[in-house]
Amino acid sequence: MKQYSDDELAAILDKDIFHQISATADELGLECYVVGGYVRDIFLERPSNDIDVVVVGSGISVAEALKKKLGKRAHLSVFKNFGTAQIKTKGIEVEFVGARKESYSHDSRKPIVENGTLEDDQNRRDFTINALAICLNSSRFGELVDPFNGLYDMEDGIIRTPLDPDITFSDDPLRMLRCIRFATQLNFYIEDDTFNALQRNAARLKIISGERIADEMNKIMMSRHPSTGFDYLYRSGLLFIILPELVALDNVAKQNGRTHKNNYYHTMEVLENVVKSQVEKSKDIRENEYTLWLRWAALLHDIGKMKVRRWDGAAGWTFHNHNYVGAKMVPEIFRRMKLPLDNKMKYVQKMVELHMRPIVIADDVVTDSAVRRLLNDAGDDIDDLMTLCEADITSKNQVRKSQFLENFRIVREKLNDLKEKDYKRLLQPVIDGNEIMSMFKLHPSKEVGILKKYLKDAVLDNKVPNERAPLMQLLMQKAESMGLVKAAKDS
């Protein structure tokens, strides 16, 4: 963290937009401060274009007057119900709000708002590192106001509430997730009293909408070490409310002196492995729209294990078909958490269902047929699936782990060879369902499905080339055995 004097802060804020705000506030005779995350990120040396400005008085009036100064260069949006206004200009967003004090009822996070002083406004902030303010009025331009020693907390890497954490979290329970999110993103430590208040107030999270929870969870997931956030979520009790299915994985059974691995901590390791792989592969991990959702797939890949855990005297503990059971659980989890139910959910479901396939292949002789089938089922998501499966190899047996990874290398080579040969053309039989129905005078039916699968299996197993003549020969033989050729002639 970097330290700045008031003069140095004034130099950092020596930008046209801040001088325009300053002049506007002075003309209206109002105190004006830049606050919150923008100030915090100056000291953490993180770039930000989202600026929050608090006015002791009407924030809307300052925004409207500033719009007149900037003219067509700026776009003004006013939200009178919330007492806020927004100016957008040259890629910069400035949010204006009047200083206020808040009070809450027990069953809602929506506050009763009254006009207040700067001190009132800083008192209502969630954390000391977000309660800093820099004056923009010309007479005090660049002066830092830090009543809760947020700078010291930043320097020490501490997340702490300005006032009593029980009141802070009970008033607005979303702040509990924000607390963990900031600690995870910034690699900060949650101060003891603040963390203890998380535990005491965890049940209050139930009044928060799923959409708000999902937004914070996604930000935790997109941090460099999301398992840190899940450790806080678990120990605070919040994870029991958000994802009880994940908590259930922290259950190790013992039979005849034999135990299985702890699937919760294994899941955390897999999640970290996926993140590490993504970071190594891309300078900007946000380039791939499925970056976040592959992390969700890692988090949920073993979610079905507790439902299928069985003791087999010979084999020990088994989790047969946990991938299929887990895949069926994904839509309900996404629905409950208000996560998207579109292709992103289907992608996660697909990853969970298929995550055992490459492992099964890599645990045996790597055959061309198995690889072709894997590529057919995974399609364009094959690289993400391989990333997940490699991350899933967390065995402490280094010999077995090395063998898996070597076989994965062979699988990747065969996959790359197929992709170079245009796998979509190679793996989709040139005779489709419409032609089959036409040939044998069929409507959509079980028989059509059997014939399509027969041809598809022949292509995937490389029994015949994906060419019309050999496939037609196979098709006629199969149709003859099913009595379809005679039936078509008789009809």
Side-chain angles (χ1 to χ4, degrees):
M1 190 195 100
K2 199 158 184 179
Q3 296 283 0
Y4 298 102
S5 67
D6 288 353
D7 288 342
E8 288 172 325
L9 289 174
I12 291 171
L13 298 180
D14 186 18
K15 300 175 183 176
D16 180 62
I17 186 63
F18 291 116
H19 287 298
Q20 293 278 16
I21 296 170
S22 176
T24 304
D26 284 348
E27 289 167 9
L28 294 175
L30 297 172
E31 287 182 53
C32 188
Y33 301 83
V34 58
V35 298
Y38 190 86
V39 180
R40 178 198 68 225
D41 289 344
I42 288 175
F43 290 93
L44 293 177
E45 299 182 272
R46 303 197 318 172
S48 177
N49 284 327
D50 296 332
I51 303 166
D52 290 323
V53 171
V54 163
V55 178
V56 183
S58 172
I60 292 176
S61 65
V62 174
E64 290 174 337
L66 179 62
K67 162 62 179 170
K68 290 179 181 178
K69 278 182 181 291
L70 298 176
K72 293 181 180 179
R73 292 181 294 162
H75 175 75
L76 170 67
S77 300
V78 175
F79 309 97
K80 288 187 177 179
N81 288 344
F82 299 98
T84 65
Q86 183 187 72
I87 290 279
K88 291 184 180 181
T89 178
K90 297 181 179 179
I92 297 172
E93 293 184 10
V94 186
E95 193 88 23
F96 292 87
V97 64
R100 59 194 187 185
K101 54 184 175 181
E102 299 174 342
S103 57
Y104 292 80
S105 63
H106 189 72
D107 60 349
S108 173
R109 63 179 292 264
K110 294 180 180 178
I112 300 168
V113 177
E114 301 175 71
N115 292 334
T117 63
L118 175 65
E119 181 183 4
D120 291 327
D121 202 87
Q122 288 177 300
N123 285 343
R124 73 178 182 85
R125 298 281 162 174
D126 49 9
F127 309 110
T128 59
I129 64 171
N130 293 334
L132 292 85
I134 301 175
C135 188
L136 294 180
N137 296 101
S138 58
S139 61
R140 297 167 53 208
F141 192 84
E143 179 184 309
L144 179 69
V145 183
D146 180 16
F148 304 110
N149 294 316
L151 279 186
Y152 290 121
D153 286 347
M154 260 194 283
E155 193 170 20
D156 294 337
I158 289 175
I159 301 294
R160 181 170 59 89
T161 59
L163 303 177
D164 183 337
D166 282 304
I167 295 174
T168 298
F169 294 148
S170 181
D171 281 351
D172 184 355
L174 186 65
R175 290 169 176 164
M176 294 190 288
L177 284 181
R178 283 171 57 82
C179 175
I180 291 173
R181 188 247 295 180
F182 281 121
T184 307
Q185 288 179 328
L186 300 176
N187 195 26
F188 279 17
Y189 167 76
I190 300 176
E191 178 260 346
D192 288 347
D193 286 345
T194 302
F195 182 79
N196 291 337
L198 289 177
Q199 295 176 315
R200 288 192 294 269
N201 292 277
R204 290 282 290 154
L205 193 68
K206 293 175 181 178
I207 72 168
I208 302 299
S209 71
E211 290 84 355
R212 292 299 185 105
I213 292 174
D215 184 53
E216 292 298 326
M217 291 293 289
N218 286 339
K219 289 174 182 176
I220 291 170
M221 289 287 275
M222 284 302 292
S223 65
R224 182 60 184 84
H225 291 290
S227 66
T228 300
F230 280 96
D231 178 57
Y232 279 128
L233 288 167
Y234 192 173
R235 291 192 294 114
S236 66
L238 293 172
L239 194 59
F240 290 76
I241 297 168
I242 298 169
L243 255 178
E245 298 91 341
L246 189 62
V247 175
L249 295 180
D250 185 16
N251 183 308
V252 178
K254 188 173 184 179
Q255 182 82 14
N256 294 352
R258 296 173 67 180
T259 61
H260 57 80
K261 67 185 174 187
N262 185 303
N263 289 298
Y264 174 81
Y265 292 106
H266 164 72
T267 295
M268 293 299 106
E269 193 173 350
V270 174
L271 178 57
E272 287 293 318
N273 287 344
V274 164
V275 173
K276 181 181 178 182
S277 178
Q278 289 177 330
V279 171
E280 288 174 349
K281 289 177 182 178
S282 176
K283 293 180 181 178
D284 184 355
I285 59 175
R286 293 166 296 183
E287 290 174 358
N288 183 347
E289 67 169 315
Y290 284 122
T291 295
L292 168 63
W293 305 109
L294 182 57
R295 296 182 186 198
W296 272 104
L299 188 73
L300 301 179
H301 80 285
D302 277 349
I303 206 73
K305 276 193 168 180
M306 288 302 100
K307 290 194 173 185
V308 299
R309 182 176 65 184
R310 299 288 184 274
W311 170 256
D312 182 323
W317 290 105
T318 66
F319 302 91
H320 295 314
N321 295 323
H322 74 272
N323 50 318
Y324 299 111
V325 172
K328 290 180 180 179
M329 294 169 67
V330 169
E332 175 53 34
I333 290 172
F334 267 53
R335 192 173 295 111
R336 187 184 73 233
M337 295 188 65
K338 306 300 182 184
L339 291 165
L341 299 176
D342 56 11
N343 288 335
K344 298 180 180 69
M345 183 275 288
K346 292 178 182 176
Y347 166 90
V348 173
Q349 190 174 28
K350 178 180 177 181
M351 292 292 108
V352 173
E353 181 175 335
L354 294 179
H355 82 269
M356 291 299 294
R357 288 277 294 281
I359 293 174
V360 171
I361 293 172
D363 198 25
D364 202 348
V365 178
V366 181
T367 65
D368 288 350
S369 174
V371 172
R372 290 163 74 91
R373 286 181 174 278
L374 175 64
L375 184 53
N376 175 73
D377 292 342
D380 293 334
D381 299 319
I382 186 64
D383 289 333
D384 285 353
L385 179 62
M386 291 300 293
T387 296
L388 173 59
C389 292
E390 286 169 345
D392 198 17
I393 306 303
T394 62
S395 172
K396 300 303 182 283
N397 183 328
Q398 291 304 312
V399 173
R400 181 164 171 76
K401 185 174 182 179
S402 296
Q403 183 60 54
F404 263 118
L405 294 177
E406 172 59 19
N407 281 4
F408 272 132
R409 185 189 64 77
I410 296 171
V411 172
R412 280 193 179 274
E413 284 183 357
K414 290 180 179 289
L415 287 169
N416 288 334
D417 183 55
L418 273 173
K419 286 192 284 188
E420 285 176 6
K421 293 177 180 177
D422 186 4
Y423 76 91
K424 289 182 180 178
R425 179 180 58 79
L426 283 172
L427 303 183
Q428 297 300 323
V430 295
I431 301 173
D432 64 15
N434 290 327
E435 188 170 358
I436 290 172
M437 287 189 288
S438 177
M439 287 174 62
F440 302 109
K441 300 179 181 179
L442 296 171
H443 296 292
S445 60
K446 177 181 177 182
E447 287 75 15
V448 176
I450 291 172
L451 292 173
K452 285 177 63 179
K453 185 177 185 303
Y454 184 72
L455 295 184
K456 186 69 173 279
D457 287 344
V459 170
L460 292 177
D461 292 336
N462 209 19
K463 291 179 179 178
V464 294
N466 190 10
E467 297 171 1
R468 188 171 187 78
L471 282 176
M472 187 61 75
Q473 184 176 355
L474 278 180
L475 176 62
M476 294 306 295
Q477 290 172 355
K478 184 66 174 176
E480 180 76 40
S481 71
M482 295 170 64
L484 296 176
V485 175
K486 183 178 185 302
K489 288 179 180 178
D490 292 344
S491 62

